[in-house]
Amino acid sequence: MESNGEPRGKRKQAPTTAHGRPMKQFKSDIDIIKMEEVANASGGETYSDAHMNGIELDMEDPRSSKHAAATADTAEWQATIEKVVKSVVSIHFCQTCSFDTDPALSSEATGFVVDAERGYILTNRHVVGAGPFWGYCIFDNHEECDVSPVYRDPVHDFGILRFDPQAIKHMQLSELQLRPDLARVGAEIRVVGNDAGEKLSILSGVISRLDRNAPEYSEGYSDFNTNYIQAAAAASGGSSGSPVVNIDGYAVALQAGGRADGAATDYFLPLDRAFRALECIRRGEHVSRGTIQTQWLIKPFDECRRLGLSADWEAAVRARFPKEIGMLVAEIILPKGPAALKIEEGDVLVKVNGELLTQFVRLDDILDSSVGKSVTLLVQRGGEDIEVTLQVGDLHAITPDRFVSVAGATFHNLSYQQARLYAVGIQDAGVYCCEAAGSFRYESAESGWLIQTVDNKDTPDLDAFINVMKDIPDRARVVITYKHLRDLHSLHTSIIPIDRHWSSKLRLAVRNDSTGLWDFTDIADPLPPVPLVPRKANFIKMESSKYAGAADVIRSFVRITASMPVKLDGFPRTRKIGYGLVIDADKGLVIVSRAIVPYDLCDISVTIADSIIVDGSVVFMHPLQNYAIIQYDPSLVQAPVKSAKLSSENIKQGSETIFFGFNQNLRPNVVKTAVTDITTVAIPASVLSPRYRAINLDAITVDTSVASHCGSGVLVSEDGTVNALWLSYLGERNTPHGKDVEYHLGLATPALLPIVNQITQGIKPSLRILAVETHVIHMSQARIMGISEQWIEKVEKEDPERHQLFMVRKIDSGHEGGLQEGDIILTLNDRLITRVSDLDVMYDHTTLDAVIVRKREETSIRVPTIPTQEFETDRAVVFCGAILHRPHHAVRQQISKIHSDIYVSARMRGSPAYQYGLAPTNFITAVNATPTRDLKSFLEETKKIPDNTYFRLKVVTFDNVKWVVTMKKCEHYFPTVEFIKDEGERCHWRRVTYEGGQAKQGEGEGGAGAMVGGQLDDGDGAGDDGVEGENGE
């Protein structure tokens, strides 16, 4: 997401930011640390090395990265560093979709070659990630080659990447030898890696501790069941995965994390288990990992004594290990795990298989070599010896290596990482929703949900979930129950519509460590929707209301739910709920705010009398006045729906009226009030991400605070005649709080009648408009700007209530002929223009005869109007994770020049577009130096680009700055997808997928990035959290 805390910068956004992501909340006061690489896009504790693009700015960031300079080195250290840097690489990567603890992201980190012959690179596990990975590395001489994962440890923070040694042509490859035995207290070390991704950094330090517990990184990935090395150093962004070397050039540890409070303290992972894993991989062996699903912590002897460690056992341990200062103590035992009911929290580990033990390394060694076997543990509990025999499980088996995508969301089994963090049993915990999108978007959280049942069937694991989802037809509404990991006490229940048309495939992804990719398989085709049948219902009766005639308007209201599978036109939400007014019950026509139905690439559900749910579709969208008209099938509704009676008379300022509206809880409110003002308003534009807004409108305000809490409603007389609609108007983004501002205002019904009458007669309006935005000037201003006294007198005489005229504030880009900015409009087709409604003359004329004042001179001109049929987006392309379409009307309203018809509306996190800096509000003008003015020519050129190869895009920013972005194509995870408006389709849109240069109707074979409804960035930080009506039905 792009922050909109400040105005958009003039310069292009760098491909990666020069700062880490915002800090998460600290888990404890003790471990105030930052992880160096991977970030949770929702905020949280960070990794100190990463350039997190989960949240980035659309402007140059004035903050400078903190650099810790090394002290002057001796000749011996200089020689060592010269040798080491040849093995160090900069890793640029994408985690292409949310998985387990990791969000989708693009970032940078460090690694180092540990096997030059086979092409193995050691880095952090939080860099390799648990899910799909796509990246490349850059060597010291700036040669580049692709990397793919070979191994990521289920628990410890190391992973191994593979590259092709033959791809490096211009330097002799070298490797670093791993020597975990040389990590000693007092040893001088150097951390060699990326400094904020900009250049090589060499940071000096001294090892101060070898027995620190693994730091906790809040709710994301955390290492555990290992000691960490602590040193006085201050690694900065980009240093995750850096080698920690001694003066002889040996890698003695792996950079992993550091304090987030600015203290010069870093934490390094010992290399014992990484060395073992590397040796297994070299021999072509499986890296066995054992577990008893118990987390241990190192605790000093004084604390162990308080827990019940006997003096005899303390003496025995001290005698056997004279340098040790503590022992391992059970911290978390997972329910239903091998140690459940046998080991208890606070037990002090004394022996394993008869061997005195105080070190994690030895415990890991025993468990890893005992998978599928039994081990015997002797623990002390309150001074009593307890001996237990436990079955050692396979740690890889409880680490997800597959996920399924369905209905726009992704799911996998609960991981050991998540289970340990929340102390929940893995077995039968429910299926984990790692990306709550599409049909499965719940409340404000994008992840962390455990699905317990779907359609009243248990879903204890992924296989059960798949079997249930296979049998659910498209568009079915099912009951689901679910819990969140942060609140396992609460069982939530929701009814959700299952989308198997925008995201039709039930697709399984399985990790393939041979190729480094995830293999995708379609495991179930969608079942067709079950035909709806007519239903009966009655509206509630508001018998307590004093205004029975007005309250009866409730029979003209229906609830509208709009779900947008693809973010278009800068709209910040993927689901909106509100109310619409029925204007023709016989035809099922409903008028609703465009803040609820922003465009027609959406699913619309219409709920009548809080009982009957039917589908709706868009009939008409007004280009200026903030309303849309939708239609449902009235034959499916057996309820006393009443067509609203719309007044043909304008309501007056000061008039008494009855406000009928629906509040934030979707409950009706009725109150007597009065019209306080009717004035021409301008809804503020969203600076960073242009999106639809109403302009040139007269807005009604009323004298009741109830209206400010209601987004949908009407102003109605006591006999039930509707005088005005009460609508939500989407405005700008609130900078301090990052929320979208919605204005609640009234729109008089006479302005609707010409359009409503045409639509009820079966005529689709074809409007023409002046491509201008106006604002009001009063007579004092008009006189100064050159309006004659005769015109001022005419205004005062012909409109006693409105002594005002309109000045042109902005001309839409591409329509500069005719009116100019600063012109004052006097008449159009001989009609004096003092009210917004007077401008309606433009709707039915191709040209207008205008009398204006320009630069203090009165003149007559002929002004062309423009058709509005092309204002709505009818084609969109998802390319390398960027969503492209023609610049929509809001863009043309806010920009002085349209650079091309290829506008970047949004982009997916973890995509090539995100990694290489192709940002929302950019325009693409050429592909590989070939001009591309529209989407058709763009597709023709991009189809020629082979997969996994670089290409060039010429880009122009919203602020007219030209630049060139180089980007690599990734069809495996991000195939090109085109959405084309097609009234012949049930959804009114057709989907085409391009793979290998070939077009395929529907969904292709692409992976996670091709999913509709994933994590998107639209340029202003907009999300789907914390707004009225965002929850499912």
Side-chain angles (χ1 to χ4, degrees), residues 977-997:
V977 179
E978 184 179 19
F979 292 90
I980 305 167
K981 191 168 183 177
D982 185 344
E983 296 297 338
E985 296 287 326
R986 173 165 181 169
C987 298
H988 304 292
W989 286 77
R990 177 164 48 89
R991 179 172 179 161
V992 181
T993 302
Y994 297 88
E995 293 178 330

Side-chain angles (χ1 to χ4, degrees), residues 496-518:
I496 64 170
I498 299 298
D499 164 25
R500 298 295 303 278
H501 45 280
W502 300 113
S503 300
S504 63
K505 303 295 186 181
L506 200 162
R507 180 164 290 170
L508 180 68
V510 180
R511 192 180 72 214
N512 185 336
D513 285 331
S514 297
T515 63
L517 299 172
W518 287 61

Side-chain angles (χ1 to χ4, degrees), residues 56-332:
E56 60 179 19
L57 305 176
D58 244 352
M59 70 291 291
E60 292 181 339
D61 188 11
R63 296 170 292 181
S64 60
S65 298
K66 179 177 178 180
H67 301 282
T71 57
D73 280 332
T74 64
E76 189 175 2
W77 264 118
Q78 290 176 357
T80 297
I81 296 303
E82 288 179 5
K83 180 179 67 173
V84 167
V85 295
K86 296 178 181 178
S87 302
V88 177
V89 298
S90 172
I91 301 170
H92 301 247
F93 67 95
C94 295
Q95 293 176 5
T96 64
C97 67
S98 297
F99 187 85
D100 195 13
T101 61
D102 302 326
L105 56 87
S106 303
S107 191
E108 297 176 8
T110 305
F112 57 98
V113 177
V114 291
D115 191 321
E117 181 180 351
R118 297 176 179 86
Y120 293 144
I121 293 171
L122 183 65
T123 187
N124 287 128
R125 189 262 199 194
H126 69 257
V127 174
V128 178
F133 172 100
W134 179 70
Y136 62 92
C137 69
I138 299 176
F139 283 80
D140 181 52
N141 70 338
H142 286 265
E143 284 192 80
E144 175 186 324
C145 67
D146 293 338
V147 291
S148 59
V150 174
Y151 178 78
R152 75 277 290 150
D153 195 80
V155 171
H156 301 321
D157 197 9
F158 73 89
I160 297 175
L161 299 173
R162 176 173 48 213
F163 71 97
D164 180 6
Q166 303 302 317
I168 306 304
K169 307 291 186 182
H170 305 291
M171 68 176 286
Q172 181 69 38
L173 289 173
S174 61
E175 63 188 51
L176 294 185
Q177 185 177 345
L178 305 185
R179 290 293 303 272
D181 57 306
L182 297 180
R184 303 186 180 106
V185 173
E188 188 177 0
I189 50 90
R190 297 290 185 271
V191 182
V192 184
N194 288 321
D195 187 356
E198 296 294 334
K199 58 184 181 299
L200 186 70
S201 70
I202 304 166
L203 306 175
S204 62
V206 176
I207 294 176
S208 57
R209 288 182 63 183
L210 300 176
D211 55 358
R212 188 196 192 281
N213 281 306
E216 284 282 355
Y217 300 121
S218 188
E219 291 187 286
Y221 163 77
S222 290
D223 201 345
F224 59 96
N225 283 352
T226 181
N227 59 294
Y228 263 59
I229 298 169
Q230 181 172 312
S236 57
S239 60
S240 272
S242 297
V244 180
V245 299
N246 67 3
I247 197 167
D248 297 318
Y250 294 119
V252 300
L254 181 67
Q255 169 71 21
R259 293 181 65 90
D261 58 0
T265 301
D266 267 17
Y267 305 125
F268 308 142
L269 176 71
L271 292 175
D272 305 83
R273 307 319 290 166
F275 178 79
R276 171 185 175 268
L278 178 61
E279 291 303 304
C280 288
I281 292 170
R282 280 171 167 166
R283 295 192 298 266
E285 299 174 359
H286 173 67
V287 183
S288 61
R289 295 286 277 114
T291 181
I292 55 173
Q293 297 184 28
T294 301
Q295 180 184 357
W296 306 88
L297 290 181
I298 304 170
K299 296 198 175 180
F301 282 120
D302 59 324
E303 189 169 348
C304 292
R305 285 195 296 273
R306 293 195 296 272
L307 291 169
L309 178 66
S310 67
D312 291 342
W313 277 122
E314 180 180 354
V317 171
R318 286 183 180 272
R320 176 69 179 83
F321 305 107
K323 293 185 179 181
E324 294 296 334
I325 61 169
M327 299 178 69
L328 300 183
V329 176
E331 177 76 3
I332 297 174

Side-chain angles (χ1 to χ4, degrees), residues 32 115 157 178 218 313 352 487 490 675 695 803 860 962:
I32 304 178
D115 191 321
D157 197 9
L178 305 185
S218 188
W313 277 122
V352 179
D487 181 16
S490 302
V675 175
I695 63 170
H803 294 173
S860 297
K962 297 180 180 180

Side-chain angles (χ1 to χ4, degrees), residues 364-382:
D364 262 356
D365 190 47
I366 294 172
L367 294 179
D368 290 349
S369 60
S370 303
V371 177
K373 302 175 185 178
S374 297
V375 293
T376 301
L377 273 62
L378 177 65
V379 299
Q380 275 232 303
R381 183 182 303 158

Side-chain angles (χ1 to χ4, degrees), residues 736-789:
H737 306 290
K739 300 293 184 182
D740 294 298
V741 177
E742 284 196 1
Y743 299 89
H744 301 154
L745 300 167
L747 177 65
T749 53
L752 310 175
L753 289 176
I755 303 297
V756 169
N757 291 337
Q758 289 187 58
I759 291 176
T760 55
Q761 295 169 20
I763 302 170
K764 187 171 183 178
S766 179
L767 304 184
R768 302 183 68 88
I769 65 169
L770 292 170
V772 300
E773 180 178 350
T774 63
H775 68 90
V776 169
I777 62 169
H778 299 289
M779 295 301 96
S780 59
Q781 299 166 303
R783 184 176 284 110
I784 296 171
M785 300 176 77
I787 305 299
S788 67
E789 294 298 324

Side-chain angles (χ1 to χ4, degrees), residues 670-784:
V670 183
V671 62
K672 189 73 175 283
T673 186
V675 175
T676 55
D677 196 12
I678 303 173
T679 185
T680 303
V681 300
I683 302 298
S686 179
V687 176
L688 291 181
S689 180
R691 63 266 187 107
Y692 176 87
R693 64 189 177 99
I695 63 170
N696 302 341
L697 76 150
D698 277 341
I700 301 170
T701 56
V702 292
D703 185 23
T704 174
S705 60
V706 173
S708 64
H709 300 290
C710 296
S712 305
V714 291
L715 302 183
V716 59
S717 61
E718 292 191 18
D719 66 357
T721 301
V722 175
N723 298 301
L725 299 183
W726 193 256
L727 301 175
S728 292
Y729 293 79
L730 181 61
E732 74 279 18
R733 173 152 281 256
N734 186 300
T735 300
H737 306 290
K739 300 293 184 182
D740 294 298
V741 177
E742 284 196 1
Y743 299 89
H744 301 154
L745 300 167
L747 177 65
T749 53
L752 310 175
L753 289 176
I755 303 297
V756 169
N757 291 337
Q758 289 187 58
I759 291 176
T760 55
Q761 295 169 20
I763 302 170
K764 187 171 183 178
S766 179
L767 304 184
R768 302 183 68 88
I769 65 169
L770 292 170
V772 300
E773 180 178 350
T774 63
H775 68 90
V776 169
I777 62 169
H778 299 289
M779 295 301 96
S780 59
Q781 299 166 303
R783 184 176 284 110
I784 296 171

